[in-house]
């Protein structure tokens, strides 16, 4: 019997994994296998910044595999003001998870990085060979360096102890169960929430920045399937980018228009160019993924966005707002 422990199991990606594992047919490509037990944990069960709590968690569930999603995560504004917290807390969480996994002989760990790990000044598209070629963008260097270190640790655990630890690098993620709280949300949930409030209050929808930056978004339910594939079929310390193709970039303006359409917003949209907007673009190549996985169909962006908006409207009271 395999026991798959998912840290960060209550977050955007953790909930998507729960959804896929519970809705895909048992024994199918992305469905639960009869010999698998999936355990989803949140910070309420163990604060993974604390080594003893991490140890007790692993002792309780005795995982054979770990998908490590737990992290202190946030949009550009909260990152800019809290680089030290993002650095320290994420280093502690990652170190405790990886070291406890090593000590308890976990067979495989997949940790979750982010395209923030890549250098600010680099040739595009990003690919798995470019992570350490220069400093990351200033705005979120704390989060970025903490995530980069996971790749360094994975290699060290493999070198010294032969551990099967690896990492996934998703591009910007969105979907049901996201964090829609305006002070800390990423761009899609923030704009959905702002649009909802503008609609309700009869005020303009104010979009931070010029609307020109481009982003590659992945639907959390698609990403969950890719994690399941990686868990079962990818055994290499080299990280792998989990993303839609690089020609699927969307500008913030296009994104705002799609949200306005999905929410039937009839008011005025304004761009506030005084607000920071992060990197202009950072297209990532999914060539390695597509070569290895063979066929995989991503949900069309507008459909995924519409499903997310409908989820938000249905769950406004219970969502992270
Ligand atoms: P969320 O913020 O939605 O969820 C974070 C999860 O981590 C929650 O389950 C939270 O538990 C848990 N967590 C936070 N702090 C601790 C702690 N001290 N101890 C234990 N658990 C903790 O994050 P996402 O689902 O968006 O992110 C999942 C992974 O994907 C992260 O590693 C993130 O860095 C990465 N990522 C995210 C992107 C995005 O666009 N969202 C883009 C690229 C990568 P609780 O609910 O109890 O707080």
């Amino acid at each position: 019997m395999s026991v798959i422990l998912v840290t960060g199991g209550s977050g955007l990606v953790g909930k998507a994994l729960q959804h896929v594992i519970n809705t895909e047919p048992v024994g199918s490509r992305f469905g639960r296998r009869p010999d698998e037990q999936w355990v989803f944990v949140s910070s309420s069960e163990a604060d993974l910044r604390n080594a003893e709590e991490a140890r007790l968690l692993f002792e309780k569930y005795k995982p054979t595999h770990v998908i490590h999603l737990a992290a202190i995560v946030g949009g550009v504004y909260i990152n800019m003001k809290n680089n030290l917290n993002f650095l320290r807390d994420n280093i502690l969480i990652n170190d405790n998870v990886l070291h406890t996994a090593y000590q308890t002989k976990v067979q495989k760990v997949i940790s979750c990085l982010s395209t923030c790990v890549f250098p600010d000044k680099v040739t595009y598209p990003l690919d798995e060979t470019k992570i350490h070629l220069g400093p990351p963008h200033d705005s979120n260097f704390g989060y970025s360096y903490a995530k980069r270190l996971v790749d360094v640790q994975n290699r060290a655990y493999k070198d010294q102890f032969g551990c099967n630890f690896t990492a996934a690098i998703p591009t910007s993620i969105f979907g049901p169960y996201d964090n829609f709280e305006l002070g800390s949300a990423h761009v899609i949930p923030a704009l959905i929430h702002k649009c909802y409030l503008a609609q309700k209050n009869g005020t303009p929808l104010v979009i931070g920045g010029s609307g020109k930056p481009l982003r590659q978004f992945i639907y959390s339910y698609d990403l969950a399937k890719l994690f399941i594939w990686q868990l079962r079929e990818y055994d290499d310390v080299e990280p792998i980018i989990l993303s839609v193709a690089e020609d699927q970039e969307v500008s913030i303006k296009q994104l705002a228009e799609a949200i306005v359409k999905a929410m039937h917003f009839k008011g005025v949209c304004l761009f506030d160019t005084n607000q920071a907007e992060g990197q202009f673009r950072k297209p990532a190549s999914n060539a390695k993924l597509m070569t290895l996985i063979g066929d995989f169909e991503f949900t069309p962006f507008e459909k995924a966005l519409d499903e997310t908006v409908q989820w938000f409207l249905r769950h406004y009271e219970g969502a992270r707002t």
Side-chain angles (χ1 to χ4, degrees):
M1 172 68 85
S2 301
V3 178
I4 300 137
L5 176 71
V6 181
T7 71
S10 55
L12 166 66
V13 184
K15 287 284 190 183
L17 264 169
Q18 290 192 41
H19 171 85
V20 170
I21 269 305
N22 291 329
T23 55
E24 292 286 313
V26 175
S28 67
R29 189 178 190 196
F30 303 113
R32 183 189 297 269
R33 288 186 175 162
D35 61 348
E36 281 175 357
Q37 184 195 345
W38 286 74
V39 179
F40 295 88
V41 293
S42 73
S43 67
S44 62
E45 197 157 352
D47 182 344
L48 293 169
R49 291 172 300 183
N50 179 304
E52 180 60 8
E53 292 193 30
R55 190 187 69 74
L56 290 171
L57 183 75
F58 278 65
E59 193 175 281
K60 178 173 177 188
Y61 292 112
K62 301 190 174 36
T64 56
H65 299 72
V66 173
I67 298 182
H68 171 40
L69 305 174
I72 311 293
V73 180
V76 61
Y77 302 115
I78 191 166
N79 264 281
M80 279 163 61
K81 290 187 190 143
N82 298 281
N83 270 299
L84 180 66
N85 293 356
F86 276 85
L87 179 72
R88 287 199 68 218
D89 287 346
N90 285 313
I91 285 178
L92 288 170
I93 290 173
N94 297 332
D95 187 55
N96 288 330
V97 168
L98 292 180
H99 201 62
T100 314
Y102 152 66
Q103 287 176 319
T104 58
K105 299 188 171 52
V106 168
Q107 292 166 27
K108 179 167 180 176
V109 179
I110 304 174
S111 297
C112 192
L113 310 187
S114 149
T115 50
C116 301
V117 297
F118 285 102
D120 183 29
K121 295 188 176 43
V122 66
T123 51
Y124 291 109
L126 305 173
D127 69 44
E128 292 82 354
T129 65
K130 297 180 180 171
I131 298 175
H132 301 284
L133 296 186
H137 194 261
D138 272 352
S139 56
N140 56 359
F141 69 89
Y143 174 81
S144 305
Y145 273 118
K147 290 279 181 189
R148 261 190 202 188
L149 266 183
V150 173
D151 177 52
V152 178
Q153 283 182 283
N154 284 346
R155 290 168 197 278
Y157 277 108
K158 182 182 163 78
D159 260 21
Q160 206 169 326
F161 302 117
C163 297
N164 185 9
F165 293 176
T166 189
I169 311 179
T171 47
S172 304
I173 309 161
F174 71 101
Y177 304 95
D178 209 339
N179 170 21
F180 294 87
E181 198 268 313
L182 288 178
S184 57
H186 286 109
V187 60
I188 291 188
L191 279 180
I192 291 175
H193 194 176
K194 278 191 190 177
C195 188
Y196 170 85
L197 294 176
Q199 180 98 299
K200 189 170 147 201
N201 301 327
T203 50
L205 167 60
V206 181
I207 299 140
S210 64
K212 290 181 185 155
L214 298 163
R215 291 289 178 268
Q216 234 168 324
F217 294 106
I218 182 162
Y219 190 34
S220 58
Y221 289 179
D222 291 342
L223 178 62
K225 290 179 181 169
L226 297 178
F227 266 111
I228 292 165
W229 165 80
Q230 189 175 359
L231 178 75
R232 293 173 180 164
E233 294 182 43
Y234 182 85
D235 284 315
D236 192 337
V237 68
E238 296 295 334
I240 182 163
I241 292 172
L242 303 182
S243 172
V244 299
E246 66 197 273
D247 62 3
Q248 299 295 304
E249 278 179 306
V250 176
S251 74
I252 302 303
K253 181 165 184 281
Q254 286 171 311
L255 168 65
E257 286 166 357
I259 290 173
V260 161
K261 188 172 158 207
M263 298 196 84
H264 307 292
F265 177 66
K266 301 279 181 269
V268 177
C269 296
L270 302 172
F271 291 91
D272 180 358
T273 50
N274 292 320
Q275 289 188 36
E277 53 189 14
Q279 281 162 282
F280 174 61
R281 65 189 290 247
K282 42 180 184 177
S285 165
N286 71 352
K288 177 174 170 180
L289 169 69
M290 297 320 288
T291 305
L292 292 174
I293 198 171
D295 61 321
F296 183 80
E297 227 170 277
F298 290 93
T299 310
F301 180 68
E302 290 215 349
K303 180 173 188 289
L305 190 66
D306 197 52
E307 287 179 13
T308 306
V309 165
Q310 297 316 322
W311 183 92
F312 174 77
L313 295 175
R314 279 198 311 277
H315 296 89
Y316 185 74
E317 294 305 327
R320 286 186 277 169
T321 51

